[in-house]
Amino acid sequence: MLTFHSKSSLPIIKTAVISTLLIGTVQLMTGCDSQPSSSNNDGIAQTNTVDKDMAKNDEMSVNPPPTDTSAMDKAQTNEAADIANEQTVSPSGYQNLSFGQVITPELLSSLGMTKAKSDNEQCYYVSNPKLSYIDKEYGERASMLYQIIDGKVALISIQDPSIPFYKDINVGNSATAVMKAHNDELSYEVDKYAVDGDYYSLIANVNFKVIKESSLGESLKDENIELNNKQDKLPLQIEYHVKGGQKLNDYQIKATEWTADNKSLLKGEVESIDMGIPEAIYLVEGCS
């Protein structure tokens, strides 16, 4: 009996040992196979994440988010307009000088302006030596003249055809173009020395309307004008000096009294353009 049991137990023990080894081997192999698989999955996930980030960055670089450029465009437009306004003679003045501005020797020096020789300290002219042009008849002349009366800018005179004027009229343009630019609302006055009407003026009012007409050559008084704006701007006038005209029926024509016949006879071209306060416009002899 003892011998029987000892012999029969050996196969059982061997079988158990072999089974245990097989199970361990299978678990070991399974573990080895699972670890690379997990590692590979992690790598693939990381690669996908990187690819998505790179694609997103590429998309952002190709299609950047929209930006609001309206403020930038507006600033650039305003800057360009300011530069253009400074280079154009207008009711605001020209460059760094405006109508009614107080003039001092220090200011003239800082602007490079020189004063014309004159014994009249109440009325004189200044100009910038760097602004000049060559006139066919007179040679080198100042492009711009500033008339100073009682220490203030009273008038700006354009002599150079290249200087822009806010009415889009330049020295050399026709009298017809001047009338058109002002819708025919201009007064006509013959120069007192031009008996044949070959030299005359076309005058427009700026910032005001006339209440009571003054005689030829007389200055408009404050009580005879009415400002037609709410900003109480300085009343100004524009005077186009025209040469090459001919004698009309009248030596003086008001803006409201033009006839078709007179308009058809209007000839000549602009020799110079003055803009200033009425007191300066009606100074027949300038500062003399």
Side-chain angles (χ1 to χ4, degrees):
M1 297 289 295
L2 292 173
T3 303
F4 173 77
H5 288 293
S6 62
K7 289 182 179 179
S8 62
S9 63
L10 287 174
I12 296 173
I13 293 173
K14 288 181 180 179
T15 302
V17 170
I18 293 170
S19 298
T20 301
L21 291 174
L22 288 174
I23 293 172
T25 302
V26 170
Q27 290 179 344
L28 180 61
M29 292 176 65
T30 302
C32 291
D33 293 340
S34 64
Q35 284 182 356
S37 176
S38 175
S39 176
N40 289 339
N41 289 338
D42 290 344
I44 293 172
Q46 291 176 358
T47 301
N48 290 339
T49 302
V50 172
D51 291 342
K52 289 180 179 180
D53 290 341
M54 292 178 64
K56 185 176 181 181
N57 291 336
D58 292 341
E59 181 180 357
M60 291 178 64
S61 62
V62 174
N63 301 311
T67 57
D68 184 9
T69 60
S70 58
M72 183 183 301
D73 292 341
K74 185 176 181 181
Q76 292 177 346
T77 301
N78 291 338
E79 182 180 359
D82 291 340
I83 294 174
N85 289 337
E86 288 180 359
Q87 301 302 321
T88 301
V89 179
S90 72
S92 298
Y94 183 69
Q95 293 186 341
N96 295 309
L97 291 177
S98 57
F99 295 103
Q101 182 176 356
V102 176
I103 297 300
T104 63
E106 291 77 16
L107 177 61
L108 294 179
S109 177
S110 66
L111 297 177
M113 297 282 187
T114 58
K115 179 181 176 182
K117 294 180 179 179
S118 173
D119 295 330
N120 188 348
E121 292 299 324
Q122 303 303 316
C123 182
Y124 58 90
Y125 292 92
V126 299
S127 62
N128 187 340
K130 294 182 179 180
L131 287 177
S132 63
Y133 75 107
I134 303 299
D135 183 86
K136 294 180 181 179
E137 183 177 353
Y138 303 104
E140 185 175 4
R141 302 179 72 193
S143 298
M144 307 283 302
L145 290 176
Y146 299 86
Q147 187 180 34
I148 313 300
I149 298 178
D150 295 331
K152 299 178 181 179
V153 177
L155 181 142
I156 297 177
S157 181
I158 305 173
Q159 302 184 128
D160 187 345
S162 67
I163 299 295
F165 189 54
Y166 84 111
K167 281 294 184 179
D168 291 331
I169 294 294
N170 294 80
V171 171
N173 287 166
S174 67
T176 304
V178 173
M179 290 291 284
K180 184 178 180 180
H182 288 272
N183 299 316
D184 294 350
E185 297 177 357
L186 290 161
S187 298
Y188 168 91
E189 293 184 359
V190 177
D191 187 273
K192 72 175 186 176
Y193 298 113
V195 294
D196 293 327
D198 57 335
Y199 195 78
Y200 63 93
S201 297
L202 293 173
I203 302 173
N205 300 328
V206 182
N207 298 332
F208 74 96
K209 61 182 179 180
V210 177
I211 300 174
K212 180 181 178 182
E213 293 284 354
S214 298
S215 300
L216 178 61
E218 289 185 2
S219 174
L220 290 174
K221 303 298 182 182
D222 291 340
E223 61 267 21
N224 293 333
I225 64 175
E226 178 183 354
L227 296 177
N228 54 8
N229 62 80
K230 296 181 180 180
Q231 298 181 2
D232 196 35
K233 294 181 180 178
L234 191 67
L236 302 170
Q237 288 184 301
I238 303 170
E239 182 173 19
Y240 299 92
H241 297 281
V242 183
K243 65 179 180 179
Q246 59 185 339
K247 189 174 183 179
L248 302 184
N249 295 327
D250 298 308
Y251 285 96
Q252 183 178 22
I253 302 175
K254 297 179 182 179
T256 56
E257 296 178 352
W258 279 96
T259 66
D261 290 339
N262 281 333
K263 289 179 183 177
S264 65
L265 294 174
L266 201 62
K267 305 295 181 182
E269 64 180 30
V270 178
E271 185 178 54
S272 63
I273 304 173
D274 293 346
M275 172 178 275
I277 61 175
E279 289 79 3
I281 293 293
Y282 281 92
L283 284 178
V284 179
E285 302 292 343
C287 288
S288 300

